[in-house]
Amino acid sequence: GYLGDEEQRVIGPAIERMRQRGIDARGPLPADTETVRAFTRSAQKFGAKIVADQHFKTGTDPREREQNNPALLSAIRNNYDVVFIADDGSAYTQRIHDVPASSGYGEPVAKFFRLADQARMVAALSCDPRFAGSGSGESGPLLLVVSSGGMVLRTPLDSFAQPSTKAGRRCIRLGEGEKIVHAAVVRGGESIFM
């Protein structure tokens, strides 16, 4: 091929010698074929079910890159939410798949939500249980919010897990001139250094 002739010169004869010794050897195989087989073996090992094949395209076209979404490779098709926290104490929740794929410059958040003047985002937090953890209420993942005035709030993340209106919802009441300086998802039993 373009990158050498090791398949015919080295690998092919080695495979043939193995077969002559009674070893069930196959090859030479294209690298992508072996990658798919390795993925399939790993999926079987961990009990994952492959429901469909997705062919990937390489290139710089963002529409083609969107087709390479790894979520398409699994049966996990849940449309989890992402919570955007603004420094004015507002929280805006949107389905992650409603955030558009772009050419790398992103989209203005104000396109999706009605932000207050001069408000800026301080965090974007996933509600996907693979990242945030599972459970509900106080036993599930918690939203931790810290204000510039030293106030701290802990509240269940699942209370923000449904899409909000464009106006969002209040996640903390702030004093005059206060702003949110930090927001994070934490799990019960974790120690936090602030």
Side-chain angles (χ1 to χ4, degrees), residues 88-169:
D88 68 352
S90 299
Y92 305 88
T93 307
Q94 182 178 35
R95 297 271 184 221
I96 190 64
H97 294 295
D98 291 339
V99 176
S102 74
S103 59
Y105 293 102
E107 297 285 335
V109 174
K111 180 177 178 180
F112 308 106
F113 307 118
R114 237 181 356 258
L115 302 176
D117 288 341
Q118 304 300 314
R120 65 181 195 78
M121 293 297 167
V122 295
L125 309 168
S126 173
C127 293
D128 184 336
R130 295 173 293 177
F131 304 111
S134 59
S136 60
E138 288 291 322
S139 65
L142 303 169
L143 173 63
L144 176 75
V145 179
V146 181
S147 79
S148 60
M151 301 302 288
V152 65
L153 170 84
R154 179 195 78 211
T155 187
L157 182 64
D158 59 6
S159 59
F160 296 92
Q162 293 300 316
S164 64
T165 64
K166 283 186 164 263
R169 53 178 76 94

Side-chain angles (χ1 to χ4, degrees), residues 2-129:
Y2 291 110
L3 301 176
D5 61 352
E6 286 83 9
E7 288 88 2
Q8 290 98 14
R9 199 171 39 78
V10 178
I11 298 172
I15 296 289
E16 188 55 40
R17 285 192 301 272
M18 289 179 176
R19 285 186 190 145
Q20 290 171 357
R21 292 183 187 150
I23 298 172
D24 183 20
R26 296 184 177 98
L29 300 171
D32 56 349
T33 300
E34 188 50 39
T35 300
V36 169
R37 287 183 180 171
F39 179 80
T40 303
R41 286 191 304 269
S42 294
Q44 289 171 344
K45 177 180 177 182
F46 293 105
K49 180 181 176 185
I50 299 173
V51 295
D53 289 334
Q54 172 72 33
H55 299 283
F56 287 87
K57 293 182 177 179
T58 58
T60 57
D61 185 342
R63 293 166 297 190
E64 289 180 356
R65 279 198 316 265
E66 183 62 19
Q67 295 301 312
N68 295 343
N69 184 343
L72 297 173
L73 294 175
S74 70
I76 302 170
R77 300 233 181 204
N78 294 333
N79 199 1
Y80 293 107
D81 300 312
V82 61
V83 181
F84 297 93
I85 306 293
D87 65 354
D88 68 352
S90 299
Y92 305 88
T93 307
Q94 182 178 35
R95 297 271 184 221
I96 190 64
H97 294 295
D98 291 339
V99 176
S102 74
S103 59
Y105 293 102
E107 297 285 335
V109 174
K111 180 177 178 180
F112 308 106
F113 307 118
R114 237 181 356 258
L115 302 176
D117 288 341
Q118 304 300 314
R120 65 181 195 78
M121 293 297 167
V122 295
L125 309 168
S126 173
C127 293
D128 184 336

